[in-house]
Amino acid sequence: MYNCAKCPGYCCSYPLIQLTKRDVERLARHFDLSFEEARKKFTKVETGAKYAMRRKADEHFGRICRFFDTEKRCCTIYTARPTICREYPGGRCGYYDFLSGERSSQNDKTHIASTWNK
Ligand code: SF4
Ligand code: SF4
């Protein structure tokens, strides 16, 4: 079973992290900002997404969510995180399944250990 606490935050590096209007409102409340301030500061318009999370540089994945702590490898706004982050990944994590499969097929429990803690 996957364990997000041991993961370097692969899903937080997805190119598009889409927010709803309510998500932006929640962020605005969390940071004591107006809706417009939060929208401009935390989101941008992407193809097909009115509110896409802004991202920043990350040494492991290239780019990652602006709210991700790249040292501790965790979310810095857990209680105010967007709906999509609350719902993801549902029952299974594809990233964990991929790494588990690779480790099993290569008979190496430490395969890609630099990105997934043992
Ligand atoms: S859902 Fe999967 S990829 Fe995302 S943090 Fe958890 S284990 Fe990592
Ligand atoms: S808000 Fe938190 S959980 Fe969601 S993508 Fe950003 S860092 Fe990850």
Side-chain angles (χ1 to χ4, degrees), residues 50-74:
K50 195 170 177 187
Y51 310 110
M53 187 73 92
R54 288 188 184 275
R55 303 194 304 150
K56 63 182 179 183
D58 178 55
E59 67 170 312
H60 288 295
F61 299 120
R63 306 279 297 163
I64 202 158
C65 173
R66 72 178 308 291
F67 290 116
F68 193 79
D69 185 325
T70 53
E71 296 296 319
K72 295 179 185 161
R73 311 302 304 178
C74 61

Side-chain angles (χ1 to χ4, degrees), residues 25 27-38 41-42:
E25 287 167 351
L27 285 174
R29 269 197 311 279
H30 185 75
F31 289 101
D32 203 16
L33 297 171
S34 69
F35 179 88
E36 266 313 293
E37 286 169 334
K41 194 168 183 183
F42 306 137

Side-chain angles (χ1 to χ4, degrees), residues 12 17 53 65 67-68 75-77 81-82 85:
C12 300
I17 299 164
M53 187 73 92
C65 173
F67 290 116
F68 193 79
C75 178
T76 59
I77 54 154
R81 70 199 187 284
C85 307

